Amino acid sequence: MILTEVITFLALFVLSTSPSLAQAKDGGHVSLLVSETGLELAKDFLIHKMISTTLPLQLPEIEKKVKIPLIGKVRMGLSNIKIYAVDVHSSRVETGGDGIVLSVSGATADVSMDWSYAYKASFFHIADHGVASVKVKGMDLRSSVSLVGENGSLKIASRDSDCKVKSIGIHINGGASWLYQGVVDAFEKKIISTVEETVSNKILEKMKKLDAKLQSLPKEGKIDDDVAVNLTFTGSPVLDDSSVEVGINGLFMANGDGGKKVSGSISSFSTPRVKRMVGISIEEEVFNSATLVYFIAKRMHVDIQETKNGSTLSTSDWKLILPELYKQYPNVKMMLNMTVTSPPAVNIRKNGIDAIIDLEISIDVQNSGAVLSVARISVVLDVGGTAEIAENNLAGSLRLKGFNATMTWSKLGDLQANYIQDVVSTILESLFLPYVNTRLKRGFPLPFTHGFKIKNTEIVYVENGVMVCSDVAFG
């Protein structure tokens, strides 16, 4: 039934999208919050969608012997009973404590069915059949569920499910006048109770299926062959009178670690009030876990043999910047091997993102078919970062704020400090940062169910974290 599908969707929507993060996460590093406007959008959309996709709803057959004045006992039956249309006039979603309550009031429904009767006397037998329609009026539905965290998963339990029908109107096509009154007298209460019971049972059935689905959700999300994200839930959802918030571990880890997090300290920050439908809070620890895992996987290394416009790197391009290199190896191909030597440290403050990167740059040349290393430079980069949204991904970019470079080894003789600074500045600005930013702009997926698009996104920096606030559209 419609109510069942809406509750199912709301639970999944909350688990895939105001109190502070410290309240909700209970050790989690990512908080997903659906505000009052987000819940209203989800409810209204699903009511419309489910009406068009879940009907008709089949009801069980009804049969009864009815005593008709002047005629006697007549066996009557209703079959092929279907609810084929529902019109919802008013609906409401309420949150609080540990549960979600969804109610629909004043709904109407259209029911079609086949009727038949048979009367057997001593000397004759009478039977007939036809079709009938029923207008269900004043249908009120209410269902409440609990969401409880358990062993990294969420359990859902139906606490209460109720459906009440105020009245129905029956229209018989064909048959005698006594038949109409007989059907009304015999089946009015039974039709009402059948609708109420069928809808209530359907809700309970769906809740059990939804609970099984929640238990089967993966504990980790694969990013690539080496890296995954820990998706275990932390604690129970926090529900107040206008929002639902759930925390997940959210830390990056080696792919296949089965939910074991990378070691590190846990930071915390207060989440600003959400003015959009959905708010996603991400601690700086998530970013630091990503840099650590990619560093351990030896993924922070790049060999560059071409400029950003696609031409081959050559010592002739460097004769003004590093003349000694051109003097010793004129017009030969060169390569830059750049390796991050320790996990970059990410710090998030109210004015943005900062990071310190320890980088080793090796300058190689191709001479007579052999690759020779001619210099090695140790660099400490101070970079600023900006978070961005690319479709449904959280992306970003880096900009250079400053650096400190030291020549650690060289076949080019003693180089002046200004040469070293010019060389490193050129490498960082024209090669290293463009390469890194190309990959950062791909981003990482935000936890939105398929079919959702985010819009009107606002990124807020707070102490030790980032919050992505967004409205949601379907399609």
Side-chain angles (χ1 to χ4, degrees):
M1 194 60 188
I2 304 307
L3 184 65
T4 304
E5 301 295 339
V6 173
I7 291 178
T8 301
F9 169 77
L10 285 173
L12 290 176
F13 183 75
V14 167
L15 304 180
S16 65
T17 52
S18 103
S20 69
L21 178 62
Q23 285 181 290
K25 64 188 180 67
D26 192 23
H29 302 269
V30 176
S31 171
L32 305 139
L33 182 145
V34 181
S35 68
E36 184 176 11
T37 54
L39 291 172
E40 283 294 317
L41 173 73
K43 171 183 66 66
D44 293 342
F45 173 80
L46 258 295
I47 288 176
H48 173 76
K49 182 180 174 74
M50 291 309 125
I51 285 176
S52 62
T53 58
T54 63
L55 299 181
L57 178 65
Q58 189 79 40
L59 275 63
E61 296 183 356
I62 304 173
E63 186 175 289
K64 192 174 183 180
K65 285 186 177 180
V66 181
K67 186 174 183 180
I68 305 297
L70 305 177
I71 296 179
K73 288 187 176 181
V74 177
R75 182 183 298 274
M76 291 185 175
L78 303 178
S79 60
N80 196 26
I81 309 171
K82 296 178 181 178
I83 299 177
Y84 65 88
V86 172
D87 186 14
V88 176
H89 297 283
S90 176
S91 59
R92 184 179 181 184
V93 60
E94 300 172 271
T95 58
D98 64 345
I100 299 175
V101 178
L102 182 66
S103 57
V104 171
S105 58
T108 60
D110 294 315
V111 181
S112 64
M113 60 186 181
D114 298 333
W115 60 264
S116 63
Y117 74 88
Y119 172 72
K120 181 183 291 186
S122 301
F123 303 102
F124 62 91
H125 176 263
I126 301 174
D128 200 0
H129 62 87
V131 296
S133 61
V134 177
K135 188 73 171 183
V136 179
K137 305 173 184 177
M139 185 165 60
D140 296 336
L141 304 96
R142 185 183 186 278
S143 184
S144 63
V145 297
S146 297
L147 295 172
V148 181
E150 185 176 288
N151 298 324
S153 298
L154 280 179
K155 292 183 65 66
I156 184 169
S158 180
R159 297 188 304 187
D160 178 44
S161 177
D162 187 43
C163 175
K164 295 295 183 183
V165 174
K166 184 176 181 180
S167 65
I168 62 173
I170 303 175
H171 178 72
I172 300 288
N173 293 324
S177 60
W178 60 265
L179 175 63
Y180 172 79
Q181 192 59 46
V183 170
V184 171
D185 292 342
F187 293 114
E188 182 177 25
K189 292 182 179 179
K190 187 62 176 178
I191 292 173
I192 290 175
S193 65
T194 298
V195 171
E196 293 173 342
E197 184 178 352
T198 300
V199 171
S200 295
N201 289 340
K202 196 71 173 178
I203 292 174
L204 295 175
E205 175 189 324
K206 285 289 187 178
M207 290 305 102
K208 291 180 180 179
K209 291 182 178 179
L210 177 57
D211 181 57
K213 189 171 185 178
L214 292 180
Q215 302 307 307
S216 67
L217 289 176
K219 297 292 194 303
E220 62 181 69
K222 182 178 178 181
I223 299 297
D224 53 38
D225 291 339
D226 297 311
V227 179
V229 175
N230 189 328
L231 296 179
T232 55
F233 293 98
T234 55
S236 298
V238 173
L239 300 93
D240 67 9
D241 58 1
S242 62
S243 65
V244 178
E245 187 175 18
V246 64
I248 65 173
N249 179 283
L251 294 182
F252 284 66
M253 60 185 185
N255 196 11
D257 267 7
K260 296 181 291 184
K261 75 172 185 176
V262 178
S263 61
S265 62
I266 297 178
S267 60
S268 63
F269 63 91
S270 296
T271 302
R273 190 71 178 176
V274 176
K275 298 180 180 179
R276 299 283 194 267
M277 294 179 180
V278 177
I280 303 174
S281 304
I282 307 170
E283 289 186 350
E284 72 177 25
E285 181 67 13
V286 173
F287 298 92
N288 282 314
S289 71
T291 64
L292 177 57
V293 172
Y294 276 105
F295 177 79
I296 293 173
K298 303 185 184 303
R299 295 283 296 277
M300 292 189 170
H301 174 84
V302 57
D303 297 328
I304 296 180
Q305 303 181 42
E306 296 180 345
T307 65
K308 59 184 178 181
N309 60 13
S311 60
T312 302
L313 285 178
S314 171
T315 57
S316 62
D317 300 323
W318 294 68
K319 59 185 177 183
L320 297 179
I321 303 172
L322 197 54
E324 191 62 31
L325 174 66
Y326 180 73
K327 181 179 178 180
Q328 293 190 32
Y329 305 97
N331 300 317
V332 298
K333 292 181 180 179
M334 61 180 292
M335 292 148 286
L336 296 171
N337 300 315
M338 290 175 276
T339 302
V340 176
T341 58
S342 64
V346 178
N347 295 285
I348 304 176
R349 299 294 178 260
K350 292 182 179 180
N351 59 347
I353 303 173
D354 294 320
I356 301 298
I357 303 174
D358 294 321
L359 184 68
E360 184 178 82
I361 302 174
S362 177
I363 302 175
D364 300 340
V365 297
Q366 190 171 4
N367 187 34
S368 301
V371 176
L372 302 177
S373 183
V374 298
R376 187 166 296 143
I377 306 172
S378 178
V379 187
V380 179
L381 288 77
D382 181 9
V383 298
T386 302
E388 305 168 1
I389 297 298
E391 296 182 347
N392 278 8
N393 292 342
L394 179 63
S397 61
L398 298 180
R399 68 186 183 280
L400 185 63
K401 296 172 65 177
F403 67 89
N404 182 24
T406 303
M407 182 73 74
T408 57
W409 179 84
S410 173
K411 285 185 178 181
L412 305 177
D414 294 331
L415 300 178
Q416 296 181 15
N418 62 317
Y419 279 153
I420 297 175
Q421 298 300 311
D422 289 344
V423 168
V424 173
S425 179
T426 300
I427 292 173
L428 296 178
E429 294 283 12
S430 63
L431 297 172
F432 178 72
L433 287 177
Y435 177 88
V436 172
N437 285 334
T438 297
R439 278 142 185 80
L440 289 178
K441 286 185 180 297
R442 298 175 185 171
F444 297 99
L446 292 169
F448 284 96
T449 306
H450 177 72
F452 291 88
K453 291 183 179 180
I454 57 179
K455 62 178 184 177
N456 303 327
T457 302
E458 178 185 6
I459 296 178
V460 180
Y461 301 104
V462 295
E463 289 297 316
N464 303 318
V466 174
M467 186 163 190
V468 180
C469 304
S470 179
D471 290 330
V472 179
F474 301 96

